[in-house]
Amino acid sequence: MTNSTSEPSTSKPKTCMDSEYDSSILKLEQALSRIVNSIQSLPSSEQVPIQRALDRVLSHDIISPIAVPPYDNSAMDGYAIIYSDLIAAKEVQLQTVATILAGTPYDGELSPGQCARIMTGAKIPRGADTVVMQELVTVSGDTITLNTNPKQGDNVRRAGEDISPGEVILKQGHKISPADVGLLASLGIGEVKVFRKIRVAFFSTGDELKPLGSVLQDGQIYDSNRYTLHAMLSRFGADVLDMGAIPDDRHATQTAFITAAANADVLITTGGVSVGEADFVKETLEQQGNVSFWKLAMKPGKPLTFGQINNCWFFGLPGNPVSAAVTFYQLVLPGLQKLSGQESIETITVKVPCTSKLYKRSGRLEFQRGILEKNPQGELVVKSTGNQGSHVLSSMSKANCFIILPLECGIIEPGTEVEVQPFFGLV
Ligand code: AMP
Ligand code: MG
């Protein structure tokens, strides 16, 4: 069992509803609905070949022009027969009149007492309605004897069984998966219209940040947020514009905002959103655009800014690396999905027992980092990744899920059921 050690409570353990909650601070759901209600999808779309359509978002419904499968065909290597030949017969012998391969249909029609050897995917000949697996017949010359009592229609894949012509097969707003690419190909569709990729600019703020490759002096750290953001945005499928690290300087921050707003649909910054002496992000946003909110009742991620500079949406994430990643997944991602025309995606969570003690104070919704795993009995359980400090980026790296602890709850004792959001499909 792993114990979370980052925030040992010095005071007595808090109970549910023992709240420090400040009602002027926004809840996550309120912030989220402000974001998704403000943002509309970009109108422009482009035509792309399906080989380049993976992870793109459809800007129109896909309607099937054909039936899939297009004709009745065999699901097995075997013998196509006429089911009525079997009725009332004790032992059935049939005469093989043809061999039908996939791609080479048989022109003739089976008459009573006849059958055709048929391969998987080959068209069922006229007259036949059932296929018997080749392992269930005895062959003697061109005569077969059935060693089974099939049901009518066995092993026949019906025309249109998967898709009928005119059916809406994929909807506008759907993000295209590898299976969708194959599905489109099976309909003969080689190109689709997708929303254009959104362009996301981002920069870090902080005098202490140094680029990779430089030697750190006292008081300096490497800029990790910009790389996390680059990776998260690339996985999301945005066109990225990396604007580097900006010093804690009013003029430099203002200039960077102007450049980003002129060149991107979204600007994401990290750091400088608190009320520290060197925090110019919120001030610049107030001057150049508008601030929608900036304090959230969630941990990590309390100082967070959402707003707009002309036509460019703005997310000012906290500087702490875990806070930046958590707020990206919980708040920015739904906004980016809406902007890129993607249908809203339901957050999948599961309730499982937690094997660690989790430290928490009531008053803020918390996203702790967890490892979802099977215990020796094969049951799903979750444990903490350990130190939950918002500077401990290795906690995100070790984790495969968020443990979502509601606003009101306090310390979690081992064995308590907690809500878990797997990273699968998210990270
Ligand atoms: P701030 O929000 O600017 O007050 O930063 C909060 C904490 O996050 C400080 O410890 C910063 O040094 C750290 N931090 C800010 N930006 C980055 C970054 N790009 N990469 C790594 N750490 C950062
Ligand atoms: Mg800073």
Side-chain angles (χ1 to χ4, degrees), residues 93-111:
Q93 290 197 333
L94 300 169
Q95 192 203 356
T96 310
V97 295
T99 296
I100 312 173
L101 307 178
T104 314
Y106 176 60
D107 278 346
E109 178 171 355
L110 296 191
S111 305

Side-chain angles (χ1 to χ4, degrees), residues 204-205 208-209 221-225 270-272 274 279 318-321:
S204 306
T205 67
E208 73 280 30
L209 304 178
I221 56 170
Y222 290 120
D223 175 1
S224 63
N225 287 346
T270 63
S274 328
D279 294 334
N320 269 313

Side-chain angles (χ1 to χ4, degrees), residues 392-409:
V392 182
L393 194 52
S394 60
S395 73
M396 270 302 288
S397 165
K398 283 181 202 155
N400 62 10
C401 66
F402 288 125
I403 303 173
I404 307 177
L405 302 175
L407 193 109
E408 325 77 44
C409 91

Side-chain angles (χ1 to χ4, degrees), residues 279-298:
D279 294 334
F280 298 108
V281 168
K282 181 170 168 271
E283 172 194 304
T284 307
L285 184 66
E286 276 165 349
Q287 270 171 10
Q288 294 186 15
N290 55 71
V291 179
S292 183
F293 64 80
W294 79 292
K295 269 186 176 178
L296 273 183
M298 74 180 259

Side-chain angles (χ1 to χ4, degrees), residues 332-352:
V332 181
L333 206 52
L336 300 186
Q337 282 162 346
K338 182 85 188 281
L339 188 64
S340 36
Q342 207 179 331
E343 65 203 343
S344 68
I345 297 161
E346 201 186 342
T347 306
I348 303 289
T349 60
V350 286
K351 283 204 161 165
V352 297

